[in-house]
PDB file of all heavy atoms in Angstrom:
ATOM      1  N   VAL A   1     -72.378  42.730  76.193  1.00  0.00           N
ATOM      2  CA  VAL A   1     -72.626  44.027  75.580  1.00  0.00           C
ATOM      3  C   VAL A   1     -71.947  44.063  74.224  1.00  0.00           C
ATOM      4  O   VAL A   1     -70.758  43.744  74.100  1.00  0.00           O
ATOM      5  CB  VAL A   1     -72.098  45.176  76.468  1.00  0.00           C
ATOM      6  CG1 VAL A   1     -72.319  46.523  75.781  1.00  0.00           C
ATOM      7  CG2 VAL A   1     -72.776  45.159  77.827  1.00  0.00           C
ATOM      8  N   PHE A   2     -72.697  44.446  73.194  1.00  0.00           N
ATOM      9  CA  PHE A   2     -72.175  44.572  71.838  1.00  0.00           C
ATOM     10  C   PHE A   2     -72.441  45.990  71.349  1.00  0.00           C
ATOM     11  O   PHE A   2     -73.435  46.614  71.743  1.00  0.00           O
ATOM     12  CB  PHE A   2     -72.846  43.566  70.900  1.00  0.00           C
ATOM     13  CG  PHE A   2     -72.731  42.147  71.361  1.00  0.00           C
ATOM     14  CD1 PHE A   2     -73.722  41.573  72.150  1.00  0.00           C
ATOM     15  CD2 PHE A   2     -71.629  41.390  71.018  1.00  0.00           C
ATOM     16  CE1 PHE A   2     -73.612  40.261  72.591  1.00  0.00           C
ATOM     17  CE2 PHE A   2     -71.507  40.072  71.458  1.00  0.00           C
ATOM     18  CZ  PHE A   2     -72.504  39.510  72.245  1.00  0.00           C
ATOM     19  N   GLY A   3     -71.570  46.506  70.510  1.00  0.00           N
ATOM     20  CA  GLY A   3     -71.788  47.857  70.039  1.00  0.00           C
ATOM     21  C   GLY A   3     -70.854  48.242  68.906  1.00  0.00           C
ATOM     22  O   GLY A   3     -70.058  47.433  68.412  1.00  0.00           O
ATOM     23  N   VAL A   4     -70.966  49.485  68.495  1.00  0.00           N
ATOM     24  CA  VAL A   4     -70.125  50.053  67.465  1.00  0.00           C
ATOM     25  C   VAL A   4     -69.716  51.453  67.915  1.00  0.00           C
ATOM     26  O   VAL A   4     -70.497  52.150  68.580  1.00  0.00           O
ATOM     27  CB  VAL A   4     -70.859  50.098  66.104  1.00  0.00           C
ATOM     28  CG1 VAL A   4     -72.100  50.967  66.170  1.00  0.00           C
ATOM     29  CG2 VAL A   4     -69.935  50.552  64.983  1.00  0.00           C
ATOM     30  N   GLU A   5     -68.477  51.854  67.580  1.00  0.00           N
ATOM     31  CA  GLU A   5     -67.980  53.159  68.012  1.00  0.00           C
ATOM     32  C   GLU A   5     -67.099  53.755  66.920  1.00  0.00           C
ATOM     33  O   GLU A   5     -66.351  53.049  66.239  1.00  0.00           O
ATOM     34  CB  GLU A   5     -67.171  53.025  69.306  1.00  0.00           C
ATOM     35  CG  GLU A   5     -66.639  54.351  69.843  1.00  0.00           C
ATOM     36  CD  GLU A   5     -65.935  54.194  71.179  1.00  0.00           C
ATOM     37  OE1 GLU A   5     -66.626  53.974  72.189  1.00  0.00           O
ATOM     38  OE2 GLU A   5     -64.684  54.266  71.199  1.00  0.00           O
ATOM     39  N   GLY A   6     -67.192  55.058  66.754  1.00  0.00           N
ATOM     40  CA  GLY A   6     -66.315  55.795  65.853  1.00  0.00           C
ATOM     41  C   GLY A   6     -65.663  56.936  66.590  1.00  0.00           C
ATOM     42  O   GLY A   6     -66.249  57.509  67.520  1.00  0.00           O
ATOM     43  N   ASP A   7     -64.431  57.266  66.215  1.00  0.00           N
ATOM     44  CA  ASP A   7     -63.743  58.372  66.888  1.00  0.00           C
ATOM     45  C   ASP A   7     -62.847  59.123  65.925  1.00  0.00           C
ATOM     46  O   ASP A   7     -62.551  58.665  64.823  1.00  0.00           O
ATOM     47  CB  ASP A   7     -62.948  57.889  68.108  1.00  0.00           C
ATOM     48  CG  ASP A   7     -61.887  56.856  67.751  1.00  0.00           C
ATOM     49  OD1 ASP A   7     -61.505  56.757  66.569  1.00  0.00           O
ATOM     50  OD2 ASP A   7     -61.428  56.147  68.660  1.00  0.00           O
ATOM     51  N   LEU A   8     -62.431  60.301  66.336  1.00  0.00           N
ATOM     52  CA  LEU A   8     -61.510  61.146  65.575  1.00  0.00           C
ATOM     53  C   LEU A   8     -60.573  61.811  66.562  1.00  0.00           C
ATOM     54  O   LEU A   8     -61.033  62.443  67.523  1.00  0.00           O
ATOM     55  CB  LEU A   8     -62.281  62.196  64.776  1.00  0.00           C
ATOM     56  CG  LEU A   8     -61.435  63.177  63.956  1.00  0.00           C
ATOM     57  CD1 LEU A   8     -60.696  62.445  62.836  1.00  0.00           C
ATOM     58  CD2 LEU A   8     -62.314  64.283  63.380  1.00  0.00           C
ATOM     59  N   ASP A   9     -59.252  61.668  66.355  1.00  0.00           N
ATOM     60  CA  ASP A   9     -58.264  62.195  67.285  1.00  0.00           C
ATOM     61  C   ASP A   9     -57.173  62.963  66.558  1.00  0.00           C
ATOM     62  O   ASP A   9     -56.639  62.481  65.546  1.00  0.00           O
ATOM     63  CB  ASP A   9     -57.624  61.056  68.088  1.00  0.00           C
ATOM     64  CG  ASP A   9     -58.608  60.406  69.039  1.00  0.00           C
ATOM     65  OD1 ASP A   9     -58.791  60.937  70.135  1.00  0.00           O
ATOM     66  OD2 ASP A   9     -59.208  59.373  68.670  1.00  0.00           O
ATOM     67  N   ALA A  10     -56.838  64.134  67.074  1.00  0.00           N
ATOM     68  CA  ALA A  10     -55.698  64.909  66.570  1.00  0.00           C
ATOM     69  C   ALA A  10     -54.438  64.475  67.304  1.00  0.00           C
ATOM     70  O   ALA A  10     -54.484  64.085  68.468  1.00  0.00           O
ATOM     71  CB  ALA A  10     -55.941  66.397  66.780  1.00  0.00           C
ATOM     72  N   GLN A  11     -53.296  64.549  66.614  1.00  0.00           N
ATOM     73  CA  GLN A  11     -52.018  64.168  67.198  1.00  0.00           C
ATOM     74  C   GLN A  11     -51.152  65.409  67.372  1.00  0.00           C
ATOM     75  O   GLN A  11     -50.960  66.176  66.425  1.00  0.00           O
ATOM     76  CB  GLN A  11     -51.327  63.122  66.321  1.00  0.00           C
ATOM     77  CG  GLN A  11     -52.116  61.818  66.277  1.00  0.00           C
ATOM     78  CD  GLN A  11     -51.560  60.839  65.275  1.00  0.00           C
ATOM     79  OE1 GLN A  11     -51.665  61.042  64.076  1.00  0.00           O
ATOM     80  NE2 GLN A  11     -50.986  59.746  65.755  1.00  0.00           N
ATOM     81  N   GLY A  12     -50.652  65.605  68.592  1.00  0.00           N
ATOM     82  CA  GLY A  12     -50.019  66.868  68.933  1.00  0.00           C
ATOM     83  C   GLY A  12     -48.522  66.847  69.027  1.00  0.00           C
ATOM     84  O   GLY A  12     -47.946  67.577  69.823  1.00  0.00           O
ATOM     85  N   HIS A  13     -47.826  66.016  68.222  1.00  0.00           N
ATOM     86  CA  HIS A  13     -46.371  66.015  68.265  1.00  0.00           C
ATOM     87  C   HIS A  13     -45.780  66.329  66.903  1.00  0.00           C
ATOM     88  O   HIS A  13     -46.433  66.201  65.880  1.00  0.00           O
ATOM     89  CB  HIS A  13     -45.820  64.687  68.794  1.00  0.00           C
ATOM     90  CG  HIS A  13     -46.605  63.492  68.365  1.00  0.00           C
ATOM     91  ND1 HIS A  13     -46.505  62.944  67.123  1.00  0.00           N
ATOM     92  CD2 HIS A  13     -47.521  62.753  69.033  1.00  0.00           C
ATOM     93  CE1 HIS A  13     -47.306  61.910  67.032  1.00  0.00           C
ATOM     94  NE2 HIS A  13     -47.947  61.771  68.167  1.00  0.00           N
ATOM     95  N   GLU A  14     -44.522  66.766  66.916  1.00  0.00           N
ATOM     96  CA  GLU A  14     -43.844  67.175  65.688  1.00  0.00           C
ATOM     97  C   GLU A  14     -43.375  65.953  64.890  1.00  0.00           C
ATOM     98  O   GLU A  14     -43.473  64.812  65.343  1.00  0.00           O
ATOM     99  CB  GLU A  14     -42.657  68.072  66.021  1.00  0.00           C
ATOM    100  CG  GLU A  14     -43.037  69.360  66.736  1.00  0.00           C
ATOM    101  CD  GLU A  14     -43.958  70.230  65.900  1.00  0.00           C
ATOM    102  OE1 GLU A  14     -43.770  70.269  64.664  1.00  0.00           O
ATOM    103  OE2 GLU A  14     -44.872  70.854  66.470  1.00  0.00           O
ATOM    104  N   HIS A  15     -42.842  66.220  63.687  1.00  0.00           N
ATOM    105  CA  HIS A  15     -42.356  65.126  62.861  1.00  0.00           C
ATOM    106  C   HIS A  15     -41.168  64.434  63.528  1.00  0.00           C
ATOM    107  O   HIS A  15     -40.468  65.020  64.343  1.00  0.00           O
ATOM    108  CB  HIS A  15     -41.979  65.625  61.457  1.00  0.00           C
ATOM    109  CG  HIS A  15     -40.801  66.550  61.436  1.00  0.00           C
ATOM    110  ND1 HIS A  15     -40.900  67.884  61.158  1.00  0.00           N
ATOM    111  CD2 HIS A  15     -39.468  66.328  61.643  1.00  0.00           C
ATOM    112  CE1 HIS A  15     -39.714  68.442  61.212  1.00  0.00           C
ATOM    113  NE2 HIS A  15     -38.822  67.521  61.489  1.00  0.00           N
ATOM    114  N   TYR A  16     -40.958  63.191  63.154  1.00  0.00           N
ATOM    115  CA  TYR A  16     -39.790  62.450  63.632  1.00  0.00           C
ATOM    116  C   TYR A  16     -39.045  61.918  62.414  1.00  0.00           C
ATOM    117  O   TYR A  16     -39.595  61.857  61.311  1.00  0.00           O
ATOM    118  CB  TYR A  16     -40.210  61.329  64.591  1.00  0.00           C
ATOM    119  CG  TYR A  16     -41.219  60.350  64.060  1.00  0.00           C
ATOM    120  CD1 TYR A  16     -40.822  59.115  63.548  1.00  0.00           C
ATOM    121  CD2 TYR A  16     -42.586  60.630  64.072  1.00  0.00           C
ATOM    122  CE1 TYR A  16     -41.738  58.202  63.073  1.00  0.00           C
ATOM    123  CE2 TYR A  16     -43.516  59.715  63.594  1.00  0.00           C
ATOM    124  CZ  TYR A  16     -43.083  58.508  63.100  1.00  0.00           C
ATOM    125  OH  TYR A  16     -43.995  57.603  62.621  1.00  0.00           O
ATOM    126  N   HIS A  17     -37.763  61.539  62.600  1.00  0.00           N
ATOM    127  CA  HIS A  17     -36.935  61.272  61.425  1.00  0.00           C
ATOM    128  C   HIS A  17     -35.772  60.331  61.747  1.00  0.00           C
ATOM    129  O   HIS A  17     -35.487  60.044  62.919  1.00  0.00           O
ATOM    130  CB  HIS A  17     -36.369  62.576  60.875  1.00  0.00           C
ATOM    131  CG  HIS A  17     -35.512  63.318  61.871  1.00  0.00           C
ATOM    132  ND1 HIS A  17     -36.033  64.206  62.761  1.00  0.00           N
ATOM    133  CD2 HIS A  17     -34.183  63.275  62.107  1.00  0.00           C
ATOM    134  CE1 HIS A  17     -35.059  64.690  63.512  1.00  0.00           C
ATOM    135  NE2 HIS A  17     -33.923  64.132  63.126  1.00  0.00           N
ATOM    136  N   GLN A  18     -35.105  59.908  60.684  1.00  0.00           N
ATOM    137  CA  GLN A  18     -33.873  59.126  60.781  1.00  0.00           C
ATOM    138  C   GLN A  18     -33.067  59.335  59.503  1.00  0.00           C
ATOM    139  O   GLN A  18     -33.636  59.519  58.418  1.00  0.00           O
ATOM    140  CB  GLN A  18     -34.182  57.643  60.983  1.00  0.00           C
ATOM    141  CG  GLN A  18     -32.948  56.808  61.307  1.00  0.00           C
ATOM    142  CD  GLN A  18     -33.313  55.361  61.622  1.00  0.00           C
ATOM    143  OE1 GLN A  18     -34.168  54.774  60.990  1.00  0.00           O
ATOM    144  NE2 GLN A  18     -32.662  54.790  62.616  1.00  0.00           N
ATOM    145  N   PHE A  19     -31.725  59.313  59.633  1.00  0.00           N
ATOM    146  CA  PHE A  19     -30.833  59.510  58.490  1.00  0.00           C
ATOM    147  C   PHE A  19     -29.942  58.282  58.295  1.00  0.00           C
ATOM    148  O   PHE A  19     -29.608  57.582  59.263  1.00  0.00           O
ATOM    149  CB  PHE A  19     -29.937  60.738  58.702  1.00  0.00           C
ATOM    150  CG  PHE A  19     -30.646  62.049  58.589  1.00  0.00           C
ATOM    151  CD1 PHE A  19     -31.333  62.579  59.676  1.00  0.00           C
ATOM    152  CD2 PHE A  19     -30.635  62.764  57.403  1.00  0.00           C
ATOM    153  CE1 PHE A  19     -31.991  63.790  59.589  1.00  0.00           C
ATOM    154  CE2 PHE A  19     -31.285  63.984  57.300  1.00  0.00           C
ATOM    155  CZ  PHE A  19     -31.963  64.494  58.397  1.00  0.00           C
ATOM    156  N   SER A  20     -29.554  58.048  57.050  1.00  0.00           N
ATOM    157  CA  SER A  20     -28.546  57.022  56.737  1.00  0.00           C
ATOM    158  C   SER A  20     -27.638  57.576  55.645  1.00  0.00           C
ATOM    159  O   SER A  20     -28.063  58.362  54.796  1.00  0.00           O
ATOM    160  CB  SER A  20     -29.208  55.723  56.276  1.00  0.00           C
ATOM    161  OG  SER A  20     -30.016  55.946  55.138  1.00  0.00           O
ATOM    162  N   THR A  21     -26.356  57.159  55.673  1.00  0.00           N
ATOM    163  CA  THR A  21     -25.363  57.677  54.729  1.00  0.00           C
ATOM    164  C   THR A  21     -24.712  56.521  53.975  1.00  0.00           C
ATOM    165  O   THR A  21     -24.425  55.465  54.566  1.00  0.00           O
ATOM    166  CB  THR A  21     -24.296  58.502  55.471  1.00  0.00           C
ATOM    167  OG1 THR A  21     -24.932  59.593  56.139  1.00  0.00           O
ATOM    168  CG2 THR A  21     -23.268  59.067  54.503  1.00  0.00           C
ATOM    169  N   TYR A  22     -24.459  56.743  52.675  1.00  0.00           N
ATOM    170  CA  TYR A  22     -23.919  55.700  51.801  1.00  0.00           C
ATOM    171  C   TYR A  22     -22.700  56.240  51.049  1.00  0.00           C
ATOM    172  O   TYR A  22     -22.668  57.412  50.661  1.00  0.00           O
ATOM    173  CB  TYR A  22     -24.982  55.240  50.806  1.00  0.00           C
ATOM    174  CG  TYR A  22     -26.262  54.807  51.478  1.00  0.00           C
ATOM    175  CD1 TYR A  22     -27.268  55.743  51.749  1.00  0.00           C
ATOM    176  CD2 TYR A  22     -26.446  53.500  51.872  1.00  0.00           C
ATOM    177  CE1 TYR A  22     -28.435  55.357  52.393  1.00  0.00           C
ATOM    178  CE2 TYR A  22     -27.609  53.103  52.507  1.00  0.00           C
ATOM    179  CZ  TYR A  22     -28.598  54.044  52.776  1.00  0.00           C
ATOM    180  OH  TYR A  22     -29.746  53.660  53.419  1.00  0.00           O
ATOM    181  N   ALA A  23     -21.717  55.370  50.845  1.00  0.00           N
ATOM    182  CA  ALA A  23     -20.506  55.737  50.101  1.00  0.00           C
ATOM    183  C   ALA A  23     -20.634  55.253  48.655  1.00  0.00           C
ATOM    184  O   ALA A  23     -20.952  54.079  48.414  1.00  0.00           O
ATOM    185  CB  ALA A  23     -19.274  55.116  50.760  1.00  0.00           C
ATOM    186  N   LEU A  24     -20.390  56.164  47.710  1.00  0.00           N
ATOM    187  CA  LEU A  24     -20.424  55.814  46.295  1.00  0.00           C
ATOM    188  C   LEU A  24     -18.997  55.686  45.774  1.00  0.00           C
ATOM    189  O   LEU A  24     -18.087  56.390  46.227  1.00  0.00           O
ATOM    190  CB  LEU A  24     -21.173  56.890  45.505  1.00  0.00           C
ATOM    191  CG  LEU A  24     -22.608  57.194  45.956  1.00  0.00           C
ATOM    192  CD1 LEU A  24     -23.253  58.208  45.020  1.00  0.00           C
ATOM    193  CD2 LEU A  24     -23.440  55.923  46.020  1.00  0.00           C
ATOM    194  N   PRO A  25     -18.759  54.801  44.821  1.00  0.00           N
ATOM    195  CA  PRO A  25     -17.392  54.563  44.344  1.00  0.00           C
ATOM    196  C   PRO A  25     -16.861  55.737  43.515  1.00  0.00           C
ATOM    197  O   PRO A  25     -17.611  56.603  43.066  1.00  0.00           O
ATOM    198  CB  PRO A  25     -17.533  53.299  43.489  1.00  0.00           C
ATOM    199  CG  PRO A  25     -18.959  53.284  43.069  1.00  0.00           C
ATOM    200  CD  PRO A  25     -19.739  53.893  44.200  1.00  0.00           C
ATOM    201  N   ALA A  26     -15.555  55.726  43.314  1.00  0.00           N
ATOM    202  CA  ALA A  26     -14.889  56.764  42.514  1.00  0.00           C
ATOM    203  C   ALA A  26     -15.321  56.674  41.056  1.00  0.00           C
ATOM    204  O   ALA A  26     -15.716  55.614  40.556  1.00  0.00           O
ATOM    205  CB  ALA A  26     -13.377  56.597  42.632  1.00  0.00           C
ATOM    206  N   THR A  27     -15.270  57.818  40.408  1.00  0.00           N
ATOM    207  CA  THR A  27     -15.568  57.892  38.974  1.00  0.00           C
ATOM    208  C   THR A  27     -14.421  58.629  38.283  1.00  0.00           C
ATOM    209  O   THR A  27     -13.424  58.994  38.923  1.00  0.00           O
ATOM    210  CB  THR A  27     -16.884  58.654  38.714  1.00  0.00           C
ATOM    211  OG1 THR A  27     -16.686  60.048  38.991  1.00  0.00           O
ATOM    212  CG2 THR A  27     -18.010  58.108  39.569  1.00  0.00           C
TER     213      THR A  27
END
């Protein structure tokens, strides 16, 4: 069996994230 298919899906979850922190030298 051979064929072609197209679809459209909504995503029902909130944003996701990550943080990183950096130290800057004295001035």
Side-chain angles (χ1 to χ4, degrees):
V1 178
F2 304 92
V4 61
E5 181 176 287
D7 59 19
L8 179 66
D9 292 277
Q11 295 172 290
H13 36 78
E14 299 299 323
H15 67 250
Y16 55 98
H17 60 272
Q18 189 175 40
F19 288 84
S20 58
T21 300
Y22 306 88
L24 303 184
T27 71

